[in-house]
mmCIF file of all heavy atoms in Angstrom:
data_model
loop_
_atom_site.group_PDB
_atom_site.id
_atom_site.type_symbol
_atom_site.label_atom_id
_atom_site.label_comp_id
_atom_site.label_asym_id
_atom_site.label_seq_id
_atom_site.Cartn_x
_atom_site.Cartn_y
_atom_site.Cartn_z
ATOM 1 N N LEU A 14 -51.407 10.927 28.224
ATOM 2 C CA LEU A 14 -51.182 12.192 28.982
ATOM 3 C C LEU A 14 -52.446 12.957 29.073
ATOM 4 O O LEU A 14 -53.272 13.080 28.181
ATOM 5 C CB LEU A 14 -50.149 12.942 28.184
ATOM 6 C CG LEU A 14 -48.751 12.351 28.009
ATOM 7 C CD1 LEU A 14 -47.812 13.249 27.255
ATOM 8 C CD2 LEU A 14 -48.201 11.894 29.321
ATOM 9 N N ASP A 15 -52.560 13.536 30.325
ATOM 10 C CA ASP A 15 -53.637 14.483 30.645
ATOM 11 C C ASP A 15 -55.049 13.969 30.388
ATOM 12 O O ASP A 15 -55.971 14.582 29.857
ATOM 13 C CB ASP A 15 -53.456 15.782 29.870
ATOM 14 C CG ASP A 15 -52.009 16.357 30.139
ATOM 15 O OD1 ASP A 15 -51.630 16.271 31.320
ATOM 16 O OD2 ASP A 15 -51.385 16.861 29.212
ATOM 17 N N ALA A 16 -55.192 12.656 30.812
ATOM 18 C CA ALA A 16 -56.563 12.048 30.768
ATOM 19 C C ALA A 16 -57.546 12.748 31.682
ATOM 20 O O ALA A 16 -57.207 12.845 32.893
ATOM 21 C CB ALA A 16 -56.434 10.532 31.044
ATOM 22 N N ALA A 17 -58.659 13.195 31.195
ATOM 23 C CA ALA A 17 -59.676 13.848 32.041
ATOM 24 C C ALA A 17 -60.587 12.824 32.558
ATOM 25 O O ALA A 17 -61.561 12.395 31.892
ATOM 26 C CB ALA A 17 -60.395 14.871 31.191
ATOM 27 N N LEU A 18 -60.343 12.252 33.664
ATOM 28 C CA LEU A 18 -61.115 11.303 34.324
ATOM 29 C C LEU A 18 -61.691 11.717 35.689
ATOM 30 O O LEU A 18 -60.826 12.359 36.484
ATOM 31 C CB LEU A 18 -60.350 9.991 34.478
ATOM 32 C CG LEU A 18 -59.854 9.414 33.131
ATOM 33 C CD1 LEU A 18 -58.771 8.339 33.369
ATOM 34 C CD2 LEU A 18 -61.000 8.914 32.323
ATOM 35 N N ALA A 19 -62.861 11.517 35.956
ATOM 36 C CA ALA A 19 -63.503 12.092 37.199
ATOM 37 C C ALA A 19 -63.202 11.464 38.514
ATOM 38 O O ALA A 19 -63.157 12.140 39.551
ATOM 39 C CB ALA A 19 -65.033 12.112 36.924
ATOM 40 N N ASP A 20 -63.013 10.138 38.524
ATOM 41 C CA ASP A 20 -62.896 9.460 39.768
ATOM 42 C C ASP A 20 -62.119 8.084 39.568
ATOM 43 O O ASP A 20 -61.770 7.743 38.416
ATOM 44 C CB ASP A 20 -64.188 9.279 40.525
ATOM 45 C CG ASP A 20 -65.188 8.510 39.595
ATOM 46 O OD1 ASP A 20 -64.821 7.729 38.735
ATOM 47 O OD2 ASP A 20 -66.432 8.715 39.806
ATOM 48 N N LYS A 21 -61.911 7.456 40.686
ATOM 49 C CA LYS A 21 -61.136 6.167 40.617
ATOM 50 C C LYS A 21 -61.864 5.159 39.700
ATOM 51 O O LYS A 21 -61.221 4.477 38.905
ATOM 52 C CB LYS A 21 -61.008 5.546 41.977
ATOM 53 C CG LYS A 21 -60.050 4.320 41.980
ATOM 54 C CD LYS A 21 -60.173 3.499 43.256
ATOM 55 C CE LYS A 21 -59.312 4.075 44.318
ATOM 56 N NZ LYS A 21 -59.158 3.098 45.439
ATOM 57 N N ALA A 23 -63.731 5.701 37.078
ATOM 58 C CA ALA A 23 -63.579 6.091 35.695
ATOM 59 C C ALA A 23 -62.058 5.679 35.339
ATOM 60 O O ALA A 23 -61.906 5.280 34.156
ATOM 61 C CB ALA A 23 -63.724 7.569 35.525
ATOM 62 N N VAL A 24 -61.094 5.846 36.194
ATOM 63 C CA VAL A 24 -59.738 5.420 35.849
ATOM 64 C C VAL A 24 -59.658 3.957 35.564
ATOM 65 O O VAL A 24 -59.078 3.516 34.586
ATOM 66 C CB VAL A 24 -58.787 5.849 37.024
ATOM 67 C CG1 VAL A 24 -57.398 5.238 36.790
ATOM 68 C CG2 VAL A 24 -58.643 7.363 37.118
ATOM 69 N N GLY A 62 -48.911 10.894 45.127
ATOM 70 C CA GLY A 62 -49.690 11.128 43.942
ATOM 71 C C GLY A 62 -49.650 10.022 42.932
ATOM 72 O O GLY A 62 -50.079 10.127 41.794
ATOM 73 N N ILE A 81 -50.571 6.528 32.913
ATOM 74 C CA ILE A 81 -51.584 7.462 32.644
ATOM 75 C C ILE A 81 -51.312 8.683 33.548
ATOM 76 O O ILE A 81 -51.288 8.571 34.776
ATOM 77 C CB ILE A 81 -53.007 6.888 32.980
ATOM 78 C CG1 ILE A 81 -53.227 5.662 32.154
ATOM 79 C CG2 ILE A 81 -54.087 7.968 32.801
ATOM 80 C CD1 ILE A 81 -54.472 4.895 32.605
ATOM 81 N N ARG A 82 -51.160 9.806 32.923
ATOM 82 C CA ARG A 82 -51.046 11.112 33.705
ATOM 83 C C ARG A 82 -52.366 11.758 33.582
ATOM 84 O O ARG A 82 -52.875 12.003 32.494
ATOM 85 C CB ARG A 82 -49.951 12.005 33.094
ATOM 86 C CG ARG A 82 -49.725 13.203 33.907
ATOM 87 C CD ARG A 82 -48.565 14.025 33.459
ATOM 88 N NE ARG A 82 -48.932 14.645 32.219
ATOM 89 C CZ ARG A 82 -48.036 15.174 31.346
ATOM 90 N NH1 ARG A 82 -46.749 15.109 31.603
ATOM 91 N NH2 ARG A 82 -48.447 15.782 30.252
ATOM 92 N N LEU A 83 -52.996 11.940 34.725
ATOM 93 C CA LEU A 83 -54.270 12.607 34.777
ATOM 94 C C LEU A 83 -54.268 14.075 34.544
ATOM 95 O O LEU A 83 -53.324 14.769 34.970
ATOM 96 C CB LEU A 83 -55.058 12.255 36.102
ATOM 97 C CG LEU A 83 -55.188 10.769 36.381
ATOM 98 C CD1 LEU A 83 -55.660 10.515 37.806
ATOM 99 C CD2 LEU A 83 -56.108 10.129 35.376
ATOM 100 N N ALA A 84 -55.333 14.634 33.973
ATOM 101 C CA ALA A 84 -55.457 16.055 33.772
ATOM 102 C C ALA A 84 -55.496 16.835 35.133
ATOM 103 O O ALA A 84 -54.987 17.898 35.269
ATOM 104 C CB ALA A 84 -56.636 16.356 32.904
ATOM 105 N N ARG A 85 -56.186 16.144 36.097
ATOM 106 C CA ARG A 85 -56.234 16.766 37.393
ATOM 107 C C ARG A 85 -56.199 15.569 38.435
ATOM 108 O O ARG A 85 -56.610 14.440 38.142
ATOM 109 C CB ARG A 85 -57.409 17.579 37.676
ATOM 110 C CG ARG A 85 -58.763 16.887 37.536
ATOM 111 C CD ARG A 85 -59.899 17.802 37.907
ATOM 112 N NE ARG A 85 -61.104 17.007 37.974
ATOM 113 C CZ ARG A 85 -61.562 16.264 38.897
ATOM 114 N NH1 ARG A 85 -60.791 16.195 40.014
ATOM 115 N NH2 ARG A 85 -62.657 15.599 38.877
ATOM 116 N N SER A 86 -55.620 15.812 39.559
ATOM 117 C CA SER A 86 -55.541 14.796 40.688
ATOM 118 C C SER A 86 -56.960 14.416 41.101
ATOM 119 O O SER A 86 -57.883 15.190 41.142
ATOM 120 C CB SER A 86 -54.725 15.335 41.864
ATOM 121 O OG SER A 86 -53.431 15.625 41.490
ATOM 122 N N ILE A 87 -57.098 13.119 41.489
ATOM 123 C CA ILE A 87 -58.375 12.620 41.961
ATOM 124 C C ILE A 87 -58.153 11.854 43.192
ATOM 125 O O ILE A 87 -57.103 11.256 43.454
ATOM 126 C CB ILE A 87 -59.068 11.723 40.881
ATOM 127 C CG1 ILE A 87 -58.213 10.509 40.594
ATOM 128 C CG2 ILE A 87 -59.427 12.458 39.586
ATOM 129 C CD1 ILE A 87 -58.877 9.405 39.810
ATOM 130 N N PRO A 88 -59.209 11.817 44.124
ATOM 131 C CA PRO A 88 -59.084 10.985 45.326
ATOM 132 C C PRO A 88 -58.909 9.551 44.862
ATOM 133 O O PRO A 88 -59.573 9.011 44.024
ATOM 134 C CB PRO A 88 -60.415 11.215 46.006
ATOM 135 C CG PRO A 88 -60.907 12.530 45.485
ATOM 136 C CD PRO A 88 -60.457 12.593 44.018
ATOM 137 N N PHE A 89 -58.028 8.849 45.616
ATOM 138 C CA PHE A 89 -57.759 7.448 45.282
ATOM 139 C C PHE A 89 -57.625 6.611 46.570
ATOM 140 O O PHE A 89 -57.208 5.526 46.523
ATOM 141 C CB PHE A 89 -56.432 7.414 44.506
ATOM 142 C CG PHE A 89 -56.445 6.345 43.408
ATOM 143 C CD1 PHE A 89 -57.006 6.613 42.149
ATOM 144 C CD2 PHE A 89 -55.773 5.169 43.581
ATOM 145 C CE1 PHE A 89 -56.979 5.689 41.139
ATOM 146 C CE2 PHE A 89 -55.765 4.157 42.580
ATOM 147 C CZ PHE A 89 -56.352 4.458 41.319
ATOM 148 N N ALA A 96 -54.333 12.979 46.766
ATOM 149 C CA ALA A 96 -54.929 12.640 45.518
ATOM 150 C C ALA A 96 -53.881 12.124 44.593
ATOM 151 O O ALA A 96 -52.648 12.371 44.746
ATOM 152 C CB ALA A 96 -55.606 13.863 44.971
ATOM 153 N N VAL A 97 -54.275 11.340 43.560
ATOM 154 C CA VAL A 97 -53.407 10.758 42.570
ATOM 155 C C VAL A 97 -53.432 11.399 41.252
ATOM 156 O O VAL A 97 -54.543 11.795 40.823
ATOM 157 C CB VAL A 97 -53.805 9.228 42.446
ATOM 158 C CG1 VAL A 97 -53.160 8.667 41.234
ATOM 159 C CG2 VAL A 97 -53.384 8.464 43.653
ATOM 160 N N ASP A 98 -52.310 11.673 40.616
ATOM 161 C CA ASP A 98 -52.289 12.206 39.295
ATOM 162 C C ASP A 98 -51.413 11.377 38.278
ATOM 163 O O ASP A 98 -51.446 11.652 37.079
ATOM 164 C CB ASP A 98 -51.822 13.684 39.318
ATOM 165 C CG ASP A 98 -50.329 13.829 39.774
ATOM 166 O OD1 ASP A 98 -49.805 12.970 40.497
ATOM 167 O OD2 ASP A 98 -49.633 14.779 39.303
ATOM 168 N N ILE A 99 -50.663 10.456 38.780
ATOM 169 C CA ILE A 99 -49.919 9.554 37.979
ATOM 170 C C ILE A 99 -50.301 8.092 38.312
ATOM 171 O O ILE A 99 -50.265 7.664 39.444
ATOM 172 C CB ILE A 99 -48.377 9.720 38.063
ATOM 173 C CG1 ILE A 99 -48.051 11.134 37.635
ATOM 174 C CG2 ILE A 99 -47.611 8.700 37.253
ATOM 175 C CD1 ILE A 99 -46.551 11.476 37.855
ATOM 176 N N VAL A 100 -50.658 7.312 37.240
ATOM 177 C CA VAL A 100 -51.217 5.982 37.430
ATOM 178 C C VAL A 100 -50.391 5.048 36.553
ATOM 179 O O VAL A 100 -50.180 5.301 35.378
ATOM 180 C CB VAL A 100 -52.657 5.848 37.039
ATOM 181 C CG1 VAL A 100 -53.235 4.471 37.379
ATOM 182 C CG2 VAL A 100 -53.456 6.922 37.843
#
Side-chain angles (χ1 to χ4, degrees):
L14 303 180
D15 305 322
L18 301 168
D20 56 28
K21 184 194 280 193
V24 170
I81 302 168
R82 186 175 70 198
L83 300 172
R85 65 174 185 81
S86 298
I87 60 167
F89 218 82
V97 163
D98 66 333
I99 297 176
V100 182

